[in-house]
Amino acid sequence: MQRAERDVVGMAVPLLRTWTAQSHRFIHFNSRNFCNFHRIVKGRGSVCCAPSVPGPSMSELCFTVGTHLIPHPGKVDRGGEDAFFVSNYNGGVLAVADGVSGWAEEDVDPSLFPKELVANFSTLVEDEEVAYDPQVLLKKAHAASTSIGSATVIVAMLEKNGSLRIANVGDCGLRVLRKGEIIFSTCPQEHYFDCPYQLSSEMVGQTYKDAMVCRVEVVEGDTIVMGSDGLFDNVFDHEIVSAISKHKDATEAAKALADLASSHSRDAKFDSPYSLEARSRGFDVPLWKKILGKKLIGGKLDDITVIVGQVVSSCRK
């Protein structure tokens, strides 16, 4: 099958669609713990793996995928600054890139860099030199990008034997759920609070060498939840577990999580994961407000991208 028949590009509209690992490759552009530790602040590159992993699956595994995205309320007309990619190659490939909005202050469209990055994923995912390695895919896609800007990014590639390979730069995230529990979570990488690692057009940014590289053994029935920080800054892990348990369809689950994140992000009284983290880092309301019993709370307005991948064994040839 020719690549042109397998690629789909969407722009600037909320999406609700399920893609199985046998369906077309899909790219969409839209608006911007486990691993035995919680934060990666310094150092070059990290490797982690999930504890208590099962043995290799006897049957070939792949994804059934649902996606949903909601742009930042102030960026709806421009479609936001997130981009994501879903491919049926091998067991399935999932990726999210979150454009760094600060580039707008330099009169640069922050969505261009993540868009080109995921477009390069589509072109390179089957490249022999990539060898189905997400870190190498990051390397080659970054090197091929010519747009000005930067983005946080995560890529997950499922091998048919059940090995899920992950490479992550920044604060996009991924959870693996099994039997109502989160068994694995990626860790945000940051220079300091609210300044994540990022691939960039500039020399001062990070590279594929800085990626956190993980391998998780998954089994049929597991669910992968991937998203930009707009999801994880506004939705707690226990809420993710609850949504997945209530919605057995990947499409419905992705929409439910995106809607929940959007609702929390606009709630000034919701004590979000973001506000909890901010207070733990010393950011809070002025002293006089503290004396009145107030504290820094509220959701974080952002672009929200959610991908839900259900691990199944009914892979069509």
Side-chain angles (χ1 to χ4, degrees), residues 80-81 98-104 108-115 148-151:
E81 295 156 4
D98 182 352
V100 176
S101 59
W103 282 97
V108 173
D109 184 347
S111 72
L112 297 181
F113 185 85
K115 287 178 181 179
I148 296 175
S150 56

Side-chain angles (χ1 to χ4, degrees), residues 230-275:
L231 170 64
F232 299 107
D233 281 344
N234 290 297
V235 179
F236 289 99
D237 280 355
H238 70 86
E239 294 178 301
I240 293 176
V241 171
S242 178
I244 294 299
S245 66
K246 291 178 181 177
H247 302 278
K248 303 305 180 183
D249 178 79
T251 295
E252 294 176 358
K255 182 180 186 301
L257 285 170
D259 286 344
L260 181 61
S262 179
S263 176
H264 284 341
S265 73
R266 293 178 279 106
D267 187 348
K269 296 182 179 180
F270 176 63
D271 203 3
S272 65
Y274 182 81
S275 61

Side-chain angles (χ1 to χ4, degrees), residues 284-291 294:
D284 209 336
V285 296
L287 179 60
W288 68 269
K289 287 190 175 181
K290 286 187 177 181
I291 294 174
K294 297 183 178 181

Side-chain angles (χ1 to χ4, degrees), residues 219-238:
V219 297
E220 184 176 10
D222 287 355
T223 299
I224 284 76
V225 176
M226 177 185 284
S228 58
D229 64 334
L231 170 64
F232 299 107
D233 281 344
N234 290 297
V235 179
F236 289 99
D237 280 355
H238 70 86

